[in-house]
Amino acid sequence: MTYVAALRATNPLVICLTNDVVKNFTANGLLAIGASPAMSSCIEDLRDLLPYAQALLVNIGTINPELATTYKKAVALANELNVPVVLDPVACSAGSFRRDIALDLLLQHKITLLRGNAGEIASLVQAKYALDNGGNHKEAVSETATNEVATVNSKGVDSASIATPGTLAAQCAQAFDVLTVVTGPIDGISDGITTEEIVNGSSMMPLVVGTGCLLGGVLAAFIGSKASAPNDLYNSALWGLTAFSLAGEMAAKACETLYQHVEPGSFQTEFINALYRLTDEDVNKGKQWKRPFNREELSVYFICGTQDFKESDNPVRAALDCIETALQAGITMFQLREKGAGSLEGEAKLEFAQQVQALCKTYGVPLIMNDDMDLAETLNVDGVHIGQDDEPIEAVRQRFPNKIIGLSIHSPEEYAHSRVDLADYIGVGPVYGTQSKGDAKAPIGPAGIQAVREVDGQIPIVAIGGITVDTAATIRAHGADGVSVISAITKANNVTEVVKQFKNIK
């Protein structure tokens, strides 16, 4: 990816309707990264400037009724001109005045990207859920409108961190149909289908006034760059968010080298310098992305490879068709297990895996790679699954610190001797006899699932081995969060119907 280079080649004009406190810092930061800032809040002026702009930033930090009217007019004009709009709903969790302005812009206009801290975003999501349920958001917003929205304590522009910023970003993206960035110690970004969490950054960033506000401008510059492909909005924003966080890391290191201490004043200067020095290579080497794991994604876990379609005239085409049908029907996780007799190797395996990855991304389903760590790294898949005889999980976790990792477990005894603390979930089985895996161990039955669950009541468990629609309910009742299947789907006469039946089993 070359988004930083593309931005600098484009030198996008970013119109900033931003708060009085940060105008200078925002302008200097945008110049450093390679954009061209224009700071204006006069609607007559904006009518002249916006036709030449690549993006508009609306930051409501120093809001008043007159400015609120200007914001509406500016966003409406940007929508007419197809200029991307970034909204920063500063302190909208503090009360109804700011929240209503942000909600109006989101509901009555087209916002391209929404950026806020956890408190701000949670406030907007709760208000939207209350409105959708026929309630008055002014009364209901202080209460959690749904158990799925995390409670986030907030005091004005400040917000407590949240354990799952990616989940909150996904909820907001789905609620408002807007690309959403949730910032904090860990950042989250989601378009409602694809979600990532970014672990990069510096603890000094919140101590410099305006870093969050500048981020809104930087994201506007990245998504507004004409060099970005029209359908590359998510990747442009992800790259920009990561670049910004890495600039914080670079600034902290520079302060340590130059001053032997990291302090807010020197950090602010070095942060601008870091934005100026930053390259795509820096982002590519330093990025720490993690796809948030949700145990509900284990619900209908499909596993296959071309070897499962060896009786077909074209196993690759048959496998891709089956995988896409299953994705359309609603599988919640997919594992590419390309191994055993008749499986692909080398370039053929790489090409097939790339096609599978594209399908999984289209439907927003995590792609887990079975055993092949090199291919998993090459494709930057969502996670890996290993067995007891594969590469040790200690080495796998060190290699993939931010990936989903699954570990096969056969019994409570095997659990006791495994580093399950390094796994996000465990695959327990085989529950029944299976023909899909030639190296499968003896069946453990539903009681085997229950035995492992009794040892650990919290760890996510997916059951595997000879499972069918008829047996799935029993397995779930014995402690499994979900079922992983191969033949039940690959051999099905009607893949769509089988997947739907699995989805209806709780």
Side-chain angles (χ1 to χ4, degrees), residues 184-429:
I186 296 176
D187 300 327
I189 180 171
S190 179
D191 60 3
I193 298 176
T194 304
T195 302
E196 299 277 357
E197 291 181 345
I198 297 89
V199 185
N200 300 100
S202 167
S203 60
M204 190 59 60
M205 295 172 79
L207 299 182
V208 175
V209 172
T211 51
C213 299
L214 171 56
L215 174 58
V218 169
L219 291 172
F222 271 92
I223 68 174
S225 173
K226 291 182 179 178
S228 299
N231 297 321
D232 210 13
L233 175 65
Y234 178 88
N235 287 332
S236 298
L238 173 61
W239 202 257
L241 178 59
T242 308
F244 192 85
S245 298
L246 278 167
E249 294 181 7
M250 293 167 62
K253 289 179 182 178
C255 287
E256 289 281 6
T257 301
L258 295 171
Y259 315 111
Q260 288 74 55
H261 295 286
V262 185
E263 298 173 324
S266 53
F267 180 86
Q268 181 179 29
T269 298
E270 294 308 321
F271 185 69
I272 296 293
N273 291 339
L275 287 173
Y276 180 77
R277 294 194 306 268
L278 190 77
T279 66
D280 287 299
E281 184 178 4
D282 293 326
V283 181
N284 195 48
K285 288 183 177 180
K287 65 182 187 297
Q288 294 188 53
W289 296 343
K290 179 179 181 180
R291 191 191 190 288
F293 173 71
N294 184 334
R295 68 196 304 148
E296 293 179 1
E297 292 174 326
L298 298 175
S299 178
V300 186
Y301 189 158
F302 181 31
I303 304 172
C304 80
T306 60
Q307 70 279 350
D308 297 302
F309 300 88
K310 57 189 176 183
E311 296 177 0
S312 170
D313 293 336
N314 188 336
V316 170
R317 185 70 264 158
L320 291 172
D321 288 345
C322 182
I323 293 167
E324 182 164 22
T325 301
L327 287 165
Q328 289 174 336
I331 61 168
T332 53
M333 186 173 282
F334 178 75
Q335 181 185 133
L336 178 56
R337 183 178 181 273
E338 188 67 22
K339 62 193 301 184
S343 60
L344 301 175
E345 297 180 353
E347 287 297 319
K349 182 177 180 180
L350 172 61
E351 183 178 346
F352 173 63
Q354 288 173 328
Q355 292 175 286
V356 171
Q357 184 177 42
L359 288 173
C360 288
K361 284 187 175 181
T362 297
Y363 293 94
V365 171
L367 171 60
I368 308 299
M369 186 69 66
N370 181 287
D371 190 24
D372 193 333
M373 300 300 109
D374 290 338
L375 186 55
E377 187 170 55
T378 297
L379 294 181
N380 189 30
V381 298
D382 299 305
V384 296
H385 188 95
I386 55 174
Q388 292 290 322
D389 298 325
D390 296 328
E391 191 172 344
I393 191 170
E394 294 88 347
V396 174
R397 178 53 79 189
Q398 185 173 9
R399 187 172 183 179
F400 301 110
N402 299 311
K403 297 291 185 186
I404 299 170
I405 295 181
L407 176 67
S408 294
I409 296 290
H410 180 251
S411 65
E413 292 74 24
E414 203 163 76
Y415 174 97
H417 293 93
S418 300
R419 289 295 307 275
V420 294
D421 58 302
L422 298 177
D424 291 287
Y425 72 89
I426 55 175
V428 181

